[in-house]
Amino acid sequence: MGIVAEEIVLRGLAVSKGIGIGAPLFFSNVSEEVPIVQISHKEIDREIERYRRALSSSRKDLEHLHYLSLQEGSSEIVAILGTHLEMIQDPIMTTVIEDRIREMQHNTESVFHGLIEEYKERFRSLPDDYFQERVDDIIDVSKRILSHLQPLPRMKMTEIPHNSIILAHELVPSETVEAQASAVSAFVTSVGGITSHAAIIARAKGIPYVANIDLKIFKGTDPHALIVDGSEGLVIINPSLATLKKYEAMKKGQLASFKQLRHASRLKGETIDGYEVKIFANLENPQEISALSKHGAFGVGLFRSEYLFLSQKQFPSEEEQFEVYKKMARGLKGKPLVIRIFDIGGDKKVDLSPSDGDYHYFANVGAELNPALGCRAIRFLLRYPEILRSQLRAILRASAYGDIHILIPMVSDISELRQVRAHIAEIAQELKLKGVRFCSKIPVGCMIEVPSSAIMCDVLAAEADFLSIGTNDLVQYVVAADRSNPSTSDLYSSLHPSILRLVRTIVTCCNEFKKDLILCGELAADPLMIPILIGLGIREFSVSARHIPLVKHTIRQWRILEACRLADDALEYTATQDLHRFLADVMRRRC
Ligand code: PEP
Ligand code: MG
């Protein structure tokens, strides 16, 4: 008789609900270690040649950056890049690497990585601060060279075997968006927050996800099966037969109640006493348009257009974008389509390698200490007007085929709206002269995602055609807790009283200026929050398509007056925990 492996239960951060049962699969991504590959004698010259080419490309990158920094007059950067150039041209390092490739007969990446680790150790052990600072330079230079070495073929989400549970250090949105719920049973990662983009996509696809799990425990064990409980944040390694049976029954039950809810998609989003709440869909993938009517969506309230870039790792041309937007607009048959212009940066920055065509846009932005507060979204687009204008032109041209709206992400100052409007006006003039058809009154809205725009929402409501509250970011910036960081997930709470107050203020401003207001953060799909949001005056929600039936079902359980009273009571609370308890209590009494 074989030895029965022990059942191990790990607790992490519950990110996407549902039960996943399957076989573990380590998904190698960027933070994985550099693999050691034995090479044959014949392959030595080829490996050395690869190393020389990587050095030469790295030198060209550095020379280009050096030139740009000289022009900008940033003397500190010039000095750092100068140091990097010297390191790259160090003949001793090159000789050592080439000798080792010959002696060890290992792939270039592993030899290079090994030597860099030795250098780092040596420098770190030296007492002088100067040498400590050089460690950062070594890391930087080595990353550049490694990125130029021909990468080993990477695993693709689209090729994952069925019933896999993906284990990874971190998930990036461009990979997650390719995962298919029919093959991927669940995600487990060491890093990741509740409203990180990978998490949003996992929820939209209905894939259970638990983050904040130390994956070291899997090393040395060979688990035959895993269970992921995305509602409770549990990962069970080698479940016993009894546990397996229990979770299989739970999974069946969840599936049945999800199917039961589906009928709500055909119903209107309205309260018991007939107040209409419009439910739109959030979309990352244009192909999902065809499934929207099945889910009962009023239209698309947020098309995250940046996924056109994230999935192909380069900016789509104006023509490509035009075709996509036109097809989406037509597919919606007159229903609204809100296209958010590229929201790139923060956790939505793609790891481009220097050989990628669009790398220079990000190289020029530089390494940011604080990407969430850096050159992202509208800031990035205004820095590169050619990208912005090509997208706006594509949207304007597509506006002849449906009811398209333009949404600006992460507005922090009214001047950003004015600049976008000025670009639109110029492009409209050009199109007119060419006789191209477009909608001359295309609505332009601002996302309220940062404190400055929430505080100044009266000014924005006066000038914009509509506003959209992005609570995923708003919460992050208002409570100053990274949305992707599991160690601040206890602070990242949509139930912080400040958020409720801000939502009320924004609603009041929009009512005063008679402007439409939509709420498109993950909050809009939380049955606990929906009645409060209606009570605060929100009448339009945008959520992942698969959550629309649940949102409609929840709205249909409430009377407007009850919801208003609930919101008023909630606004009295000054501490997140107390508000949480109060709400849990209300919901328990209603059940
Ligand atoms: C938000 O921040 O709430 C939002 C909808 O935008 P994203 O999640 O894409 O940043
Ligand atoms: Mg956002």
Side-chain angles (χ1 to χ4, degrees):
M1 227 170 74
I3 299 166
V4 179
E6 194 194 349
E7 176 176 300
I8 304 171
V9 181
L10 308 172
R11 185 171 285 280
L13 181 68
V15 172
S16 174
K17 287 191 179 128
I19 309 281
I21 302 173
L25 191 133
F26 278 96
F27 190 76
S28 54
N29 51 24
V30 280
S31 50
E32 222 72 19
E33 286 159 15
V34 177
I36 300 175
V37 180
Q38 192 73 43
I39 57 167
S40 68
H41 190 73
K42 280 194 298 210
E43 289 169 318
I44 291 178
D45 287 345
R46 193 197 63 191
E47 286 300 290
I48 290 178
E49 187 47 38
R50 271 194 333 115
Y51 177 64
R52 290 181 185 166
R53 269 204 307 272
L55 268 189
S56 154
S57 306
S58 306
R59 201 195 61 239
K60 279 187 200 144
D61 282 353
L62 287 170
E63 283 170 350
H64 178 63
L65 291 175
H66 195 253
Y67 166 75
L68 289 175
S69 318
L70 271 174
Q71 285 194 325
E72 282 170 9
S74 28
S75 58
E76 280 182 352
I77 302 177
V78 169
I80 293 171
L81 292 170
T83 314
H84 289 190
L85 268 166
E86 270 172 35
M87 289 167 73
I88 254 177
Q89 292 171 94
D90 177 1
I92 301 177
M93 185 165 90
T94 307
T95 314
V96 175
I97 295 279
E98 297 191 4
D99 286 350
R100 286 198 186 177
I101 293 175
R102 280 191 197 95
E103 281 161 25
M104 298 164 80
Q105 295 199 8
H106 282 169
N107 57 325
T108 308
E109 291 88 333
S110 68
V111 171
F112 177 72
H113 186 250
L115 183 70
I116 291 298
E117 288 303 307
E118 283 172 28
Y119 276 6
K120 281 185 344 201
E121 279 305 303
R122 219 180 297 158
F123 275 57
R124 276 203 182 109
S125 64
L126 298 171
D128 196 321
D129 275 355
Y130 170 82
F131 292 109
Q132 302 308 316
E133 283 163 20
R134 292 290 73 80
V135 173
D136 289 341
D137 292 325
I138 294 174
I139 294 172
D140 210 334
V141 168
S142 65
K143 270 191 186 161
R144 188 175 297 281
I145 298 175
L146 275 171
S147 74
H148 275 295
L149 284 166
Q150 193 86 39
L152 290 175
R154 295 220 357 224
M155 204 181 259
K156 287 205 180 113
M157 276 289 177
T158 44
E159 292 162 4
I160 297 288
H162 279 249
N163 281 335
S164 297
I165 294 193
I166 304 286
L167 308 174
H169 173 69
E170 186 178 10
L171 288 172
V172 294
S174 52
E175 283 164 353
T176 323
V177 83
E178 288 182 345
Q180 286 153 8
S182 55
V184 177
S185 297
F187 292 119
V188 177
T189 63
S190 338
V191 173
I194 289 175
T195 60
S196 67
H197 284 91
I200 291 173
I201 298 165
R203 279 197 293 275
K205 288 175 180 274
I207 302 178
Y209 178 6
V210 174
N212 215 6
I213 294 287
D214 186 353
L215 297 182
K216 278 196 212 95
I217 191 154
F218 291 93
K219 295 245 159 92
T221 60
D222 187 16
H224 58 79
L226 278 188
I227 294 176
V228 173
D229 179 347
S231 312
E232 296 298 322
L234 299 179
V235 176
I236 305 170
I237 307 174
N238 291 327
S240 67
L241 201 61
T243 311
L244 201 61
K245 276 193 174 157
K246 180 180 124 187
Y247 276 94
E248 270 167 356
M250 275 165 75
K251 190 174 171 179
K252 231 169 149 183
Q254 286 182 355
L255 221 66
S257 52
F258 184 74
K259 277 190 185 151
Q260 246 178 11
L261 267 184
R262 263 202 226 146
H263 82 282
S265 57
R266 288 192 302 273
L267 305 173
K268 259 176 107 174
E270 63 179 9
T271 57
I272 298 171
D273 43 353
Y275 278 81
E276 188 182 9
V277 181
K278 293 177 185 158
I279 317 294
F280 296 79
N282 287 350
L283 229 67
E284 286 83 37
N285 181 348
Q287 263 116 48
E288 288 168 30
I289 282 278
S290 52
L292 287 194
S293 55
K294 184 178 83 191
H295 292 293
F298 200 86
V300 172
L302 172 70
F303 172 50
R304 292 183 163 105
S305 70
E306 57 276 6
Y307 278 84
L308 298 175
F309 161 76
L310 293 172
S311 53
Q312 63 182 34
K313 298 196 175 185
Q314 67 179 39
F315 288 105
S317 67
E318 177 190 325
E319 226 33 56
E320 283 170 319
Q321 291 186 65
F322 168 63
E323 289 302 329
V324 171
Y325 305 149
K326 181 170 95 175
K327 203 166 164 201
M328 290 176 79
R330 277 191 164 151
L332 280 165
K333 300 190 178 82
K335 286 182 178 169
L337 165 62
V338 180
I339 301 179
R340 179 174 71 185
I341 50 179
F342 298 141
D343 182 2
I344 290 170
D347 77 328
K348 280 184 280 192
K349 184 166 148 186
V350 154
D351 236 346
L352 293 185
S353 75
S355 51
D356 289 321
D358 287 329
Y359 173 78
H360 63 282
Y361 290 114
F362 300 97
N364 290 351
V365 167
E368 297 185 299
L369 202 57
N370 243 324
L373 304 182
C375 184
R376 58 168 290 203
I378 188 58
R379 301 169 182 184
F380 179 87
L381 293 174
L382 290 174
R383 184 176 293 197
Y384 298 112
E386 65 275 26
I387 296 177
L388 173 64
R389 287 177 76 96
S390 125
Q391 183 170 32
L392 291 176
R393 211 173 297 115
I395 297 176
L396 252 73
R397 286 170 57 199
S399 69
Y401 301 88
D403 182 16
I404 296 187
H405 303 217
I406 294 174
L407 180 58
I408 313 172
M410 210 196 162
V411 170
S412 60
D413 190 277
I414 187 77
S415 66
E416 291 158 342
L417 168 64
R418 290 177 185 159
Q419 288 177 73
V420 172
R421 280 213 197 273
H423 282 296
I424 293 175
E426 279 175 25
I427 293 164
Q429 193 58 27
E430 289 163 18
L431 293 178
K432 216 173 184 173
L433 286 174
K434 285 188 185 157
V436 178
R437 276 194 318 134
F438 65 95
C439 167
S440 58
K441 291 208 171 76
I442 190 159
V444 182
C446 295
M447 287 204 76
I448 306 289
E449 300 184 282
V450 304
S452 63
S453 61
I455 293 166
M456 302 297 286
C457 67
D458 53 335
V459 175
L460 291 170
E463 284 196 29
D465 296 311
F466 67 100
L467 297 184
S468 172
I469 310 183
T471 48
N472 303 337
D473 274 315
L474 188 64
V475 173
Q476 144 167 283
Y477 292 122
V478 168
V479 302
D482 185 344
R483 62 192 270 189
S484 306
N485 183 348
S487 69
T488 51
S489 59
D490 54 333
L491 296 170
Y492 181 100
S493 171
S494 318
L495 273 182
H496 195 283
S498 59
I499 302 299
L500 301 195
R501 287 189 190 184
L502 286 177
V503 171
R504 167 138 295 176
T505 308
I506 300 164
V507 168
T508 309
C509 290
C510 284
N511 287 344
E512 188 186 336
F513 290 96
K514 299 196 170 39
K515 297 291 168 70
D516 285 340
L517 173 65
I518 187 164
L519 192 142
C520 62
E522 293 297 288
L523 196 58
D526 181 347
L528 209 64
M529 289 304 296
I530 291 168
I532 298 192
L533 295 171
I534 306 170
L536 288 172
I538 298 286
R539 293 291 177 269
E540 294 184 6
F541 291 102
S542 194
V543 298
S544 298
R546 71 190 318 272
H547 292 141
I548 292 177
L550 171 71
V551 177
K552 284 188 177 176
H553 172 80
T554 310
I555 291 169
R556 296 176 67 84
Q557 312 298 308
W558 288 81
R559 285 177 199 283
I560 200 74
L561 222 76
E562 270 180 321
C564 290
R565 233 179 272 135
L566 179 73
D568 284 343
D569 289 346
L571 279 166
E572 295 291 315
Y573 284 84
T574 50
T576 313
Q577 284 308 323
D578 297 342
L579 184 50
H580 219 288
R581 265 194 293 274
F582 161 70
L583 271 182
D585 215 39
V586 170
M587 297 304 159
R588 222 179 351 256
R589 273 189 272 122
R590 282 181 68 91
C591 278

